[in-house]
Each structure stands twice: as structure tokens, then as C-alpha cells.
Amino acid sequence: MTNLKNLRGMVDLLPEQSQCWQKVESIALEHFSRAGLKEIRTPIIEQTELFARGIGENTDVVGKEMYNFNDRGGRSCTLRPEGTASVARSIVQHGLLNNGPQRLWYKGPMFRYERPQAGRQRQFHQIGVEFVGLASVMSDAEVISIAWDFLKDVGLNDLTLEINSLGSNEDRSVFKKELQDWLNKRFDLLDEDSQKRINFNPLRILDSKINSTKELLSEAPSLKDFLSNKSKTRFDYLQEMLAKLKIPFRINNNLVRGLDYYSHTAFEITSDQLGSQATVCGGGRYDGLISELGGTQTPSIGWAIGMERLIILAGDKLLQTKSPDVYVIHRGEKAEQLALEITCQLRSSNLTIELDYSGSSFSKQFKRADKSKAKWALVIGEDEASKGHLLMKKLRDKQHDEDSKEYIFSKVDLDQLIKKLID
RNA sequence: GCGGGCGUCGCCAAGUGGUUAAGGCAGCGGCUUGUGGCGCCGCUAUUCGGGGGUUCGAAUCCCCUCGCUCGCCCCA
């Protein structure tokens, strides 16, 4: 038991798991590049103000979950709790929109100081997509379909796409007043959290999980009745397009999402296999964010997928233990050099190869070779070393009857032999 | 921040007050000094997350603490 341990909520990604991650990331990269997206990488640390303004002072994320600290120059810094604000900042700062709309993706660690539980860590990883400078409903549909196709391709089934429209900012502010009035009249019937939220974040009350509040809210004014015709048409059109793309969805009028910057389309992809943290992908339109950060009014939409949750759902579908093609066995001083030389030579021919360093008996080394599930054992002993010969032996898997095949050859024939034996 | 459950070897675990803390997997060594998959034999926790206390005696009881885990809030 070591006394040095990782911090709470910070998780090591062990070799077995990292293979899954690589697989997922490569699938993602393929999807993104086919969709014409480019990657953007932004720093993990930003000015605290970026998130306070971008995400919203009154959100839980900003209010109680951020890792803040002052650097040596006394600047207030924050470990990014999400990716969108940083991407938006970068776009504004570098004037990327002068080159037209930006279709971007990113991935990396995010930090939120919360109590860890299934599907939730303090350092977690998101992979996300942002379409910045595009207003068309088509972009909403395309962005959603990129997420959907990607998740499907990773092998996830039983996913549910929920969508909602939060309307324009104007729609929402009218509704907000109406809702506040309605709620204030019933103040005493609300749970404590909801009472606190009336003034600064009434929309979130709609999302309450408290049963009594839920019941009360069934009578409350609904945002969908406050959508302007334009907003409604927009939402209808999105549904039409999703149907055309054969992406099944469900309308959830209570889907509000916790970050302030969303407007119009909001969506979530959930799974019932994740425990209580059911959301694997969340996103929406954020037409106000870029201007909030000092840019010009720029319509944008994006989403983020939680890698850890995705990996949980993918389960062992992605587990693919790579076994070596060749396991190099050697014994004796002369053999040592030759073994290393050959090992490195084989690597350059694109093979997975493992060199035994134990120096123990051939018997032991063969046992290990077998355990590694290698296809071939390359044997170099004193004899081979002194004669400049190599012995390649086929390792059988579980077939007792088959005779083992051995090939003796000289060093210079190695590449040719390999080509012949391994495909 | 608030609740519930749990912490015995790298992993899975038995043990619930009494002399040396089962077992399995993995690891290492041997049977077999140059040939594997099977088998057999041996080795691997002075110690039960940490710290106090109760007791003649504690992994087992009590207190504190740390950590893990599940849920609430919220989010990916």
C-alpha cells in the first residue's frame, strides 16, 4: 500500500483501458474528418472570468464546481469545466470567423469539483463538436446526426435522443416573467431549492426532480406556448429533418440544460444503462455566447460527449487485446545482442513484437510466449547465435494434434520469411 | 454540500474476540540447465486503509479520520 495516491475524483487510465479510448478516438476522428471538421486545442486553464461570463454566474458549474486558484501573478485562473467557452474565446480572439463559419471538434480533460459517482469524476474527458457561424436549422440537424452516427458506430444501442426548443432570447424573457409570476403565487408549495431559483434561474425549476414540485408544474405555463412563430417553425423543421435522417427522437419540453448560453435547440442523448448519470451527450444552440465574449452576434451550435460514460456504455465491445505477432526467446550472451537486433529490425516491418528479458530457461520463456498469445516464437540460443541462424517456431493455439512447424533460416532471409509466414 | 453501503496480498476473496490470517487467479522458482499450452511441488500479507481506545487477548467491539462506492443536487 503506497501512501501516495491520486487525488479524489482523478482517475488513472490503465493500459488495458487506454486501448478502448484509442479505438473510440480513432472512430471519432474518422467521423469528424469525413464531416469536414477541424480540430481545435485550447488551454486547460483560462481566466476565471471567461467561464463566469460564458457559462453564467448563476449556474451550478460556475457557482460551486470550478477549480479556481490565483497564479503567482495574482490572476484568477480556472481549470476549464467544459470546452465550449474556451473554443468560443479562441475563435473571437483569433478572428477565425473572418474565414467563414467554423466547423470544429475538440477533446480533452475537463474539471468539475463534485462528489464522484458512477459516470462522474472530477477530472473527466469530453469530446465535442462546435459549429460556429451557422444559423440554418440544417446545421442543428447535421450536428445532431454527427453525434448520433458516431455513437452508433462505437456500438452503442438503446440510446434516446431528446430534443427541445428554448426559443429565442426574446421568447424566453417573456416566458421567464410569466413563469416567475406564476411561481411566486405558489411560492409556499415549492421545494426549497426551487424557491431559491425563482429569481435568478426560474427555467431550471421546470427540470425539478422533486415530486411535489413536478406535480405542481404540470399546471404551469409551458415554454412551448411562448415560442414565437418563427421559433416554432424552426423547431418543427428540425423535427422534420431528423425524421428524414431516420434519427428517432423524443420531445422533452422540460429539457432546459444547466448552462446559460443555450437558445433554440437543446438536446441530450441518454442511456438507461448509466445509472443516474444518464446523459452521454448533451448540447444545443448558443447564439448568444460569441457576442457575450466580445465577438459579433454569431449563431452557433455544438455538443459534448462524456468519454468515460461512452466507454462505460461501449463495455467490452471495444476490448481488443493486441497479442504480439512474434515473441522473441533467447538464451546466452551471444544470443542477447542478436535478439535485440532482430527485435528492432522486425519492428520496422510493422509487426508487433515482444522480447523476453528474463534470461530464464527456455521452458519458462516458452510458457510466457504461449501466454502472450503470440503467433510465432523466434528462438535464439547459443547455437543459433554462433551459427548466425534463427529458429522460427509456430505456436499453436489449443490444437494438440497439429504438428508444430519450425523454420531455420539465416538472418538475411528474415524479412522474406516473415512476409511469407505472417499475413 | 447532504444521505446509504464498503475498505483483509497486484486482483477476487474466507474469517464476526483466542495460539502461526483460508483459498483461488496472477507472479516467481522447480519437476524439465535448449523447447510452450496440461499436470504436480514449493515460495509470495509479522498483518487486515490510517490513528486512538476497550480487553489478558482485536481483522473482528467503540470513537475519530482517510479513501472507495452508490444515490441526491447538477452535469458529460
Side-chain angles (χ1 to χ4, degrees):
Chain A
M1 184 66 67
T2 51
N3 40 10
L4 248 27
K5 297 181 66 182
N6 56 317
L7 251 17
R8 175 153 221 218
M10 309 285 171
V11 178
D12 293 321
L13 190 62
L14 270 13
E16 203 185 329
Q17 280 291 302
S18 67
Q19 288 186 25
C20 290
W21 282 61
Q22 286 169 1
K23 179 83 182 163
V24 171
E25 284 164 0
S26 73
I27 294 173
L29 181 55
E30 208 185 302
H31 276 253
F32 296 158
S33 44
R34 266 188 282 162
L37 311 194
K38 305 228 169 77
E39 186 185 9
I40 184 166
R41 301 191 190 193
T42 62
I44 288 169
I45 303 173
E46 298 270 3
Q47 290 181 47
T48 302
E49 194 193 346
L50 169 64
F51 302 114
R53 262 169 55 186
I55 301 173
E57 295 281 4
N58 292 324
T59 58
D60 283 1
V61 169
V62 173
K64 56 180 201 188
E65 294 172 2
M66 294 206 300
Y67 276 89
N68 299 324
F69 65 95
N70 289 326
D71 69 10
R72 286 164 190 269
R75 286 170 281 256
S76 177
C77 307
T78 296
L79 263 42
R80 64 180 183 196
E82 56 107 51
T84 304
S86 303
V87 171
R89 189 225 83 224
S90 182
I91 286 172
V92 172
Q93 182 179 334
H94 301 288
L96 259 39
L97 290 165
N98 294 327
N99 304 321
Q102 299 294 307
R103 296 173 172 83
L104 304 173
W105 71 275
Y106 64 86
K107 68 163 191 229
M110 308 293 165
F111 303 84
R112 259 121 96 161
Y113 193 90
E114 298 181 271
R115 196 92 182 248
Q117 72 187 70
R120 168 186 293 164
Q121 300 164 190
R122 287 183 174 178
Q123 176 178 336
F124 62 104
H125 297 78
Q126 289 186 334
I127 189 157
V129 161
E130 312 288 359
F131 274 32
V132 179
L134 295 164
S136 163
V137 194
M138 283 194 293
S139 64
D140 298 43
E142 187 187 359
V143 157
I144 290 174
S145 90
I146 291 172
W148 187 260
D149 291 348
F150 165 55
L151 293 172
K152 286 284 168 191
D153 207 14
V154 171
L156 306 197
N157 295 303
D158 304 317
L159 295 173
T160 304
L161 169 65
E162 295 182 18
I163 59 171
N164 191 24
S165 173
L166 306 177
S168 65
N169 289 337
E170 296 74 47
D171 299 345
R172 240 179 9 267
S173 67
V174 174
F175 170 67
K176 205 164 152 182
K177 278 205 193 86
E178 199 77 18
L179 181 65
Q180 276 170 330
D181 288 347
W182 190 90
L183 289 169
N184 274 318
K185 280 181 200 147
R186 294 158 181 80
F187 190 84
D188 293 337
L189 297 171
L190 292 169
D191 62 275
E192 210 181 312
D193 276 342
S194 296
Q195 289 178 344
K196 278 187 220 155
R197 283 193 179 125
I198 286 190
N199 288 322
F200 57 84
N201 207 344
L203 290 192
R204 195 87 67 73
I205 299 177
L206 296 176
D207 210 14
S208 172
K209 271 87 183 173
I210 311 283
N211 281 331
S212 59
T213 303
K214 263 183 170 169
E215 232 169 86
L216 183 69
L217 286 170
S218 59
E219 308 285 314
S222 171
L223 175 58
K224 69 173 194 288
D225 300 324
F226 287 76
L227 296 185
S228 63
N229 282 335
K230 214 173 151 194
S231 298
K232 251 184 240 167
T233 310
R234 192 176 199 290
F235 191 41
D236 289 344
Y237 194 30
L238 173 62
Q239 293 172 44
E240 220 174 285
M241 284 181 172
L242 290 174
K244 195 132 248 156
L245 293 174
K246 297 195 169 62
I247 300 174
F249 61 88
R250 198 161 69 198
I251 294 170
N252 176 356
N253 287 309
N254 292 328
L255 180 63
V256 182
R257 307 197 50 72
L259 313 180
D260 277 359
Y261 51 60
Y262 289 115
S263 57
H264 289 293
T265 306
F267 63 94
E268 267 183 21
I269 299 174
T270 58
S271 163
D272 53 16
Q273 321 232 24
L274 272 176
S276 67
Q277 308 306 321
T279 307
V280 64
C281 173
R285 182 158 277 286
Y286 50 96
D287 292 350
L289 178 61
I290 297 282
S291 53
E292 179 64 38
L293 298 180
T296 51
Q297 168 71 31
T298 306
S300 312
I301 184 165
W303 51 252
I305 282 175
M307 277 294 282
E308 284 80 2
R309 291 181 188 177
L310 169 52
I311 299 281
I312 291 171
L313 289 175
D316 43 21
K317 274 174 221 154
L318 296 167
L319 266 186
Q320 30 146 28
T321 23
K322 255 191 213 157
S323 46
D325 298 305
V326 179
Y327 191 95
V328 180
I329 288 171
H330 66 95
R331 195 154 166 80
E333 267 176 52
K334 275 186 202 152
E336 213 170 79
Q337 283 187 22
L338 189 56
L340 184 61
E341 190 189 331
I342 298 295
T343 298
C344 296
Q345 191 183 334
L346 285 177
R347 289 238 170 83
S348 58
S349 65
N350 224 356
L351 290 170
T352 307
I353 175 156
E354 189 168 329
L355 173 59
D356 195 304
Y357 278 93
S358 69
S360 47
S361 69
F362 273 97
S363 170
K364 288 290 167 200
Q365 293 195 60
F366 266 101
K367 274 186 180 159
R368 271 191 289 270
D370 193 64
K371 187 155 271 176
S372 79
K373 296 192 176 123
K375 298 174 190 81
W376 295 86
L378 181 59
V379 185
I380 307 170
E382 296 282 9
D383 287 356
E384 286 83 0
S386 56
K387 287 180 196 154
H389 283 170
L390 301 166
L391 173 67
M392 186 73 99
K393 179 170 176 169
K394 176 92 176 151
L395 295 171
R396 287 170 297 168
D397 22 11
K398 304 265 155 63
Q399 285 147 357
H400 296 255
D401 44 0
E402 192 186 310
D403 285 275
S404 64
K405 290 175 186 158
E406 292 190 0
Y407 301 85
I408 296 172
F409 57 100
S410 72
K411 207 173 98 183
V412 286
D413 298 330
L414 181 62
D415 286 338
Q416 255 184 333
L417 185 85
I418 291 288
K419 262 182 213 136
K420 216 159 70 185
L421 299 182
I422 297 172
D423 38 43

